[in-house]
Amino acid sequence: MQNRYAIEQLIEAGEWISQKGWVPATGGNFSAKTDSGFVVTASGHDKGQLTAEHFLQFDIHGQIESGAGKPSAETDLHLSLYQLDDQATCVLHTHSVAATVLSRFITTDTLMITGYEMQKSLTGVASHEETIQIAIFDNDQDIERLAEKVTARYQHSPLYHGILIRGHGLYAWGRSPAETRRHLEGLEFLFACELERIKLEASL
Ligand SMILES: [Zn+2]
């Protein structure tokens, strides 16, 4: 992707994601791969009102090439995902209520989801009878350490569509901005369904 196109796609995604309520209080960050590396949102801006000045350009090794503002601390995790999955061209990181709460409620390292038609919104999933597995990592303010854990787990068994950070949010990725948006929306829908199911079962 050319820089300008990548930034346009992320600005548009930001408006949509913000309307969904998945990036409150300037939270979250977005990136897309470009011909020379990747662009990523600078920290501290309302993700529903981004402009081209709110992006930083990195080379593929994670060195800043251009742009003003402070890079998000979470840039390292975006970089790791691009290095691990060479098909990934876009990463959208959100802080939704469903992802935040569900990742705390599930105390193991994997969220298992089965039985939902909407699982088919995830590339490669053909049936509600399949079980999708979303890795959960404990939150860590040391993003380099967190990125190392994601890398170690990916190398042990590849991760698809997205990962959860406990009490924090979701990182979704895909082979294009459109596919990434579909993965994000599909996963958020499934998380919200699971949350409702758990609440209902607890009240019976
Ligand atoms: Zn975050």
Side-chain angles (χ1 to χ4, degrees), residues 27-29 72 74 93-95 139 143 165 168-171:
N29 35 70
S72 164
E74 294 169 359
H93 168 51
T94 50
H95 292 180
N139 198 17
I143 301 296
I165 312 296
H168 179 161
L170 166 69
Y171 281 79

Side-chain angles (χ1 to χ4, degrees), residues 8-45:
E8 279 169 13
Q9 292 291 308
L10 294 176
I11 289 174
E12 209 183 296
E15 288 168 3
W16 170 72
I17 290 166
S18 180
Q19 280 167 12
K20 295 277 192 186
W22 297 337
V23 282
T26 77
N29 35 70
F30 316 136
S31 70
K33 231 172 170 178
T34 62
D35 299 337
S36 61
F38 64 104
V39 288
V40 63
T41 45
S43 77
H45 302 291

Side-chain angles (χ1 to χ4, degrees), residues 51-108:
T51 64
E53 294 76 60
H54 298 146
F55 288 85
L56 298 157
Q57 167 77 42
F58 286 81
D59 68 19
I60 205 57
H61 308 293
Q63 298 298 312
I64 287 193
E65 285 191 329
S66 64
K70 195 168 150 289
S72 164
E74 294 169 359
T75 300
D76 275 354
L77 209 36
H78 290 250
L79 174 64
S80 296
L81 290 169
Y82 290 128
Q83 288 172 338
L84 291 167
D85 182 350
D86 59 10
Q87 295 223 60
T89 66
C90 180
V91 177
L92 299 172
H93 168 51
T94 50
H95 292 180
S96 73
V97 172
T100 301
V101 175
L102 194 58
S103 61
R104 290 192 65 181
F105 182 79
I106 307 293
T107 52
T108 59

